[in-house]
Amino acid sequence: ALDPQDATAWNSLGASGGGEVGGQAFSEIACYQRALALDPQDSNAWNSLGVAGGGEIGGQAFSRIACYQRALALDPQNATAWNSLGV
């Protein structure tokens, strides 16, 4: 079962398209939002949120590009985020 306090587990669930936790359905974007609520410094989760189309974190809307830029600000070596930004 997914640990609701594990940001990496939420990111993984999002990568699989979302799923059900504790009887509640979570979309792909909702999973990335949960991951980032738990760990706002997770460069990979920011990139994933961007790939999913962006979303709202902490009451602020982030576009795809803004998510990639946040991912790269946190980890300038994140090759996946550089690739995402270039697509």
Side-chain angles (χ1 to χ4, degrees), residues 5-83:
Q5 299 304 311
D6 183 345
T8 302
W10 281 107
N11 197 26
S12 296
L13 186 61
S16 67
E20 195 172 292
V21 177
Q24 184 177 351
F26 290 89
S27 68
E28 176 184 12
I29 289 175
C31 291
Y32 298 137
Q33 289 169 321
R34 286 284 179 127
L36 289 166
L38 293 166
D39 182 6
Q41 306 301 309
D42 185 339
S43 177
N44 291 321
W46 278 107
N47 180 68
S48 296
L49 182 61
V51 170
E56 190 173 298
I57 301 295
Q60 182 178 349
F62 289 88
S63 68
R64 288 181 107 104
I65 290 174
C67 290
Y68 303 144
Q69 290 170 332
R70 180 63 62 100
L72 291 167
L74 293 166
D75 179 8
Q77 303 304 311
N78 186 332
T80 304
W82 278 111
N83 184 64

